[in-house]
Amino acid sequence: LDQLAVARYEPRLALDGGKNGMQLIKKLLAQSAKNVLPGACIFLEIQYNQANNVIQLGQQFHTGSTCTTFHDLAGLPRVIKIQL
């Protein structure tokens, strides 16, 4: 991780998502299932190849939620909105 160009600008915690890159996202969604009220939105900035996994986790922890993907200027999925 220290060799990444963005490591100069981002804290290590922002770059290290665990073995599969999903550890912190999974933890956040598990916690939000207990602490976020229905009707709220959760926005997650993601790595371009995580969209499907994040959507699955969002629906796992928030049954009946609606997930929307937003793309960056390069056309890559970068933000997931989970509408509770």
Side-chain angles (χ1 to χ4, degrees), residues 5-6 11 14 16 18 24 26 32-33 39 45-47 55-59 61 69 71 76 79 84:
V6 296
D16 188 358
L24 291 176
K26 185 174 183 177
S32 69
E45 182 181 11
I46 61 167
Q47 186 173 313
I55 289 169
Q56 286 178 342
L57 284 174
Q59 292 173 340
F61 288 107
T69 304
H71 295 79
L76 299 171
V79 173
L84 309 181

Side-chain angles (χ1 to χ4, degrees), residues 50-70:
Q50 293 178 322
N52 290 334
N53 291 334
V54 173
I55 289 169
Q56 286 178 342
L57 284 174
Q59 292 173 340
Q60 174 187 334
F61 288 107
H62 297 283
T63 305
S65 64
T66 302
C67 298
T68 306
T69 304
F70 296 92

Side-chain angles (χ1 to χ4, degrees), residues 1-4 6-7 9-18 24:
L1 290 176
D2 296 329
Q3 303 304 316
L4 296 173
V6 296
Y9 310 106
E10 297 285 347
R12 186 172 182 85
L13 183 61
L15 301 175
D16 188 358
L24 291 176

